[in-house]
Structure formats: structure tokens, C-alpha cells
Amino acid sequence: MGGIFNVVFKIFSTLLGLLLILLGLVWIGQAFHVGPAFIMRGGMVSHHRWALWGTILALFGLGQVIWSMRRPN
């Protein structure tokens, strides 16, 4: 049972990290008004502080992916 849990947790952890990276990149794109039109709506558009928060979130997601990939099974 422990081996299956470790594999499932590793997959979940990696997907969570990738989701955080994607969300961070969306926030950065909105802050600099870069991206497709359907994303360029809302209060985050052209507010550059969201680029900082997006960078922090994307780096946290990258750390999550690296940690989960280096984690033993």
C-alpha cells in the first residue's frame, strides 16, 4: 500500500506544482498585459505588483516540481 501511495502522491505533487507555475505565468502576463484576450479582464490587468506575486508563485511551483521529482518512491 505504501508504494502506491508514494507514486500517487508524487504525481499529485508534480501536477500541483505545474498548476502553480501556470497560474503564476498567467498573473505575470496579466500584470504586463500580455496574453490572449480572454485572460485580459479583471482587476489584475496592468497592475505590476501582480508580476511580483506571479513570479513568487511560479518559483514556488517550480520548487514543488523539483522536490516531488527528487523525492524517492
Side-chain angles (χ1 to χ4, degrees), residues 15-43:
L15 290 175
L16 179 64
L18 291 174
L19 180 67
L20 292 176
I21 291 170
L22 180 64
L23 186 60
L25 291 176
V26 167
W27 288 3
I28 293 168
Q30 283 185 324
F32 291 115
H33 209 274
V34 175
F38 68 90
I39 294 178
M40 293 301 132
R41 296 183 187 152

Side-chain angles (χ1 to χ4, degrees), residues 3 6 14 16 21-22 24 27 30 32 35 39 45 48 50-51 57 68-70 72:
N6 285 336
T14 302
L16 179 64
I21 291 170
L22 180 64
W27 288 3
Q30 283 185 324
F32 291 115
I39 294 178
V45 176
H48 295 268
W50 287 103
L57 188 65
S68 65
M69 296 304 285
R70 294 179 51 114

